[in-house]
Amino acid sequence: MSLGSVMSSHNFLKEESGQAVSADMVAVAKKQRTQDFFFHRITQAFSLLVLAALLGIIISLFVNAWPTFQKFGFKFLWHVEWDIINEDFGAAIAIVGTMASAGIALLLAVPLAFGVAVFLTETCPTWLRRPLGTSIELLAAVPSIIYGMFGLFVFAPLFADYVQVPLQQVLGGMPLVGFLFGGATNGMGILAAGIVLAFMVLPFVAAVMRDVFEITPPILRESAYGLGCTTWEVVRQVVLPYTQKGVIGGIMLGLGRALGETMAVTFVIGNANRMPTSLFSPGTSIASVLANEFGEAEALHFSTLFALGFLLFVITFVVLAMAKMMILRAEKAKGN
């Protein structure tokens, strides 16, 4: 066999093997494109399913609440009557109770959660960090009914004897603030509900803050300490700016839990359909009204409870939108 024929045979075999490899690569690429297409569509369907469920909840709430909105209009938001017999309803009492109890809960829980998160990430001994962090996470898993029972049978008597009575004796007669501490000292009311809610919100906010504080790059902390910064200066000037989004997200998570909490608030808020005049006054919230009255509601009363649920949804949406605006404004300020 001549050298030319050997070379042509070799080139032919090389071309055939190259074509085979090219065909295999094309087949693999086509298979990957098909898998990517189905993966993209499946994940997109999951996302759209969540959006569809959200829209379905909004529409169903609004449709069932429409008779109440049609009868009372915007007056429903600030009307203080709640007369089931005469079908005269207003949401003002429930809205005030919801916002007041959730606001008290955040005022108490956020500073405590911040302190817990700073301790766990900055100054806590290594051997204590894990068991203490696990304990905080376990608090978040306690059912709300347990918090409610604790609030009614354990916290309320102690709160009445050792907090409400002394506060009323010391501050009740003071000008400007004395009216805040009036009323019956029976352990129930807006302040008691806010404190119990703070117990519930604290582990959520603390766990989120701890997790976001831990993602701060160690080199940033070490650089700040190397420049002579104290622990508080490192937290305020390095950790907080780096984790601002996560901190605000944790606070909003706690606020959402406080706004929508039902059983724990129902146990200790007093469930009185009248506008609270002090921190010790009994009141009600949107969630507690729904829990107490939904089983016996009919006709316009039934529609009104759906209207309260729709308002709670709107309040939560507005709060989350405000949080998003705060984050965007802070990011814009950083960019400038």
Side-chain angles (χ1 to χ4, degrees), residues 132-192:
L132 189 58
T134 304
S135 301
I136 293 172
E137 292 172 353
L138 287 176
L139 281 176
V142 176
S144 62
I145 188 69
I146 303 301
Y147 282 106
M149 295 172 64
F150 165 78
L152 179 62
F153 297 110
V154 179
F155 172 76
L158 296 175
F159 183 66
D161 294 336
Y162 297 103
V163 178
Q164 284 187 325
V165 172
L167 280 177
Q168 194 172 77
Q169 291 175 348
V170 174
L171 301 175
M174 295 183 63
L176 300 180
V177 297
F179 73 96
L180 293 175
F181 305 97
T185 56
N186 57 6
M188 302 291 185
I190 298 295
L191 182 59

Side-chain angles (χ1 to χ4, degrees), residues 138-256:
L138 287 176
L139 281 176
V142 176
S144 62
I145 188 69
I146 303 301
Y147 282 106
M149 295 172 64
F150 165 78
L152 179 62
F153 297 110
V154 179
F155 172 76
L158 296 175
F159 183 66
D161 294 336
Y162 297 103
V163 178
Q164 284 187 325
V165 172
L167 280 177
Q168 194 172 77
Q169 291 175 348
V170 174
L171 301 175
M174 295 183 63
L176 300 180
V177 297
F179 73 96
L180 293 175
F181 305 97
T185 56
N186 57 6
M188 302 291 185
I190 298 295
L191 182 59
I195 294 174
V196 172
L197 278 177
F199 285 130
M200 301 183 64
V201 167
L202 174 62
F204 287 93
V205 182
V208 173
M209 284 189 179
R210 182 203 61 184
D211 291 341
V212 298
F213 286 173
E214 286 179 345
I215 67 172
T216 304
I219 191 172
L220 297 180
R221 285 193 177 97
E222 294 168 3
S223 300
Y225 282 124
L227 293 173
C229 294
T230 63
T231 302
W232 169 241
E233 289 173 337
V234 170
V235 172
R236 182 168 60 89
Q237 300 179 5
V238 177
V239 176
L240 277 178
Y242 189 84
T243 60
Q244 186 180 45
K245 283 187 178 180
V247 170
I248 295 177
I251 295 173
M252 290 302 107
L253 175 65
L255 179 57

